[in-house]
Amino acid sequence: MLGVIGGSGFYSFFGADARTVEVDTPYGPPSAPITIGSVGAHEVAFLPRHGVHHEFSPHTVPYRANMWALRTLGVRRVFGPCAVGSLDPQLGPGAVVVPDQLVDRTSGRADTYFDSGGIHVGFADPYCPSLRSAATGLTGVVDGGAMVVIQGPRFSTRAESRWFADQGFRLVNMTGYPESVLARELEMCYAAIALVTDVDAGVESGQGVRAVDVFAEFQRNLGPFKQLVHAAIDRVDVERSCTHCLAHEGVQLPFDLP
């Protein structure tokens, strides 16, 4: 089974024929009940990251519950569509980017399942190469770039966004961490697919980023963006062959993965 975790404005993925399941986890309930449907040859589980009515801000999303619930259902590969700001003037609203690197600038988020035991997790390349390849092979998709994840819920100051751009980061987002590392801890393949909704405040002059404008831009592009995610799923092999995301090979874990 594949998983899709929808970002801001991306609250549904299937029609009325999908079934809904509720999953409890040791970390509480996920953001919403999970809907399961089909995309081509794949059975797909969909979960809206922020809840069905956007009731979770980026720093309050139950990331550990979300990823645990998906794995419990049998999901082993996950696409994480998300809204991002651009730190690159060449990437304007409507661009779709598949990042290849991540920089964590969050604080205080529960970002591991290993609260006991001496465990270390390789994360040099945070995204699954197989899933990235499926998405970057689509027409018009931009391949690569570092995504810096900020704490939120506030947007960056102009000084912060200029600083991020000076470091060579290409995208800024609020939810890409710890979702990606939790997937790695659960040995799930994971790749983000980022829809640019704005150019960040320090990169382009103007009044700065406003939430209302971000949501409006996402809604304008939502139909084609969903079609793109469908197309990426169609390009994923039916059988999982990736070994890159098997982080615990040869390691004795303090508990069994679900």
Side-chain angles (χ1 to χ4, degrees), residues 104-241:
D104 171 32
R105 292 287 300 169
T106 66
S107 62
R109 297 186 182 187
D111 61 356
T112 182
Y113 294 106
F114 299 116
D115 294 323
S116 63
I119 303 297
H120 300 278
V121 181
F123 201 54
D125 297 297
Y127 301 112
C128 171
S130 298
L131 292 184
R132 287 194 72 258
S133 178
T136 56
L138 298 171
T139 302
V141 173
V142 179
D143 182 1
M147 182 169 72
V148 58
V149 184
I150 61 176
Q151 174 70 357
R154 71 170 179 85
F155 296 110
S156 302
T157 66
R158 295 186 194 277
E160 288 169 334
S161 62
R162 284 193 293 266
W163 176 40
F164 296 151
D166 287 345
Q167 299 306 305
F169 308 152
R170 205 170 194 188
L171 307 169
V172 59
N173 165 264
M174 296 182 188
T175 57
Y177 188 91
E179 194 169 276
S180 51
V181 73
L182 293 173
R184 184 62 54 85
E185 287 193 350
L186 293 176
E187 295 195 326
M188 298 162 70
C189 295
Y190 179 94
I193 304 178
L195 174 64
V196 174
T197 57
D198 60 276
V199 178
D200 215 44
V203 181
E204 185 173 81
S205 61
Q207 64 181 339
V209 181
R210 301 191 310 160
V212 64
D213 298 327
V214 168
F215 281 109
E217 183 63 30
F218 199 97
Q219 286 301 316
R220 275 193 291 272
N221 291 280
L222 183 57
F225 192 44
K226 284 186 178 182
Q227 292 175 4
L228 187 146
V229 176
H230 272 262
I233 291 171
D234 279 334
R235 289 174 50 85
V236 175
D237 292 338
V238 174
E239 297 296 329
R240 181 190 188 192
S241 59

Side-chain angles (χ1 to χ4, degrees), residues 10-170:
F10 196 151
Y11 306 127
S12 63
F13 196 54
F14 303 115
D17 56 338
R19 61 188 176 94
T20 300
V21 296
E22 298 200 20
V23 183
D24 196 17
T25 81
Y27 307 96
S31 297
I34 297 170
T35 54
I36 299 175
S38 296
V39 176
H42 294 285
E43 189 176 31
V44 177
F46 174 77
L47 175 63
R49 182 182 293 117
H50 294 277
V52 176
H53 305 291
H54 205 95
E55 53 264 50
F56 294 102
S57 294
H59 64 298
T60 63
V61 170
Y63 295 102
R64 290 197 295 182
N66 287 350
M67 303 311 292
W68 191 275
L70 288 173
R71 179 164 172 114
T72 298
L73 290 175
V75 171
R76 296 295 182 270
R77 295 174 289 181
V78 178
F79 281 118
C82 58
V84 299
S86 170
L87 298 166
D88 180 347
Q90 296 183 359
L91 293 176
V96 177
V97 186
V98 178
D100 60 355
Q101 276 296 321
L102 178 149
V103 178
D104 171 32
R105 292 287 300 169
T106 66
S107 62
R109 297 186 182 187
D111 61 356
T112 182
Y113 294 106
F114 299 116
D115 294 323
S116 63
I119 303 297
H120 300 278
V121 181
F123 201 54
D125 297 297
Y127 301 112
C128 171
S130 298
L131 292 184
R132 287 194 72 258
S133 178
T136 56
L138 298 171
T139 302
V141 173
V142 179
D143 182 1
M147 182 169 72
V148 58
V149 184
I150 61 176
Q151 174 70 357
R154 71 170 179 85
F155 296 110
S156 302
T157 66
R158 295 186 194 277
E160 288 169 334
S161 62
R162 284 193 293 266
W163 176 40
F164 296 151
D166 287 345
Q167 299 306 305
F169 308 152
R170 205 170 194 188

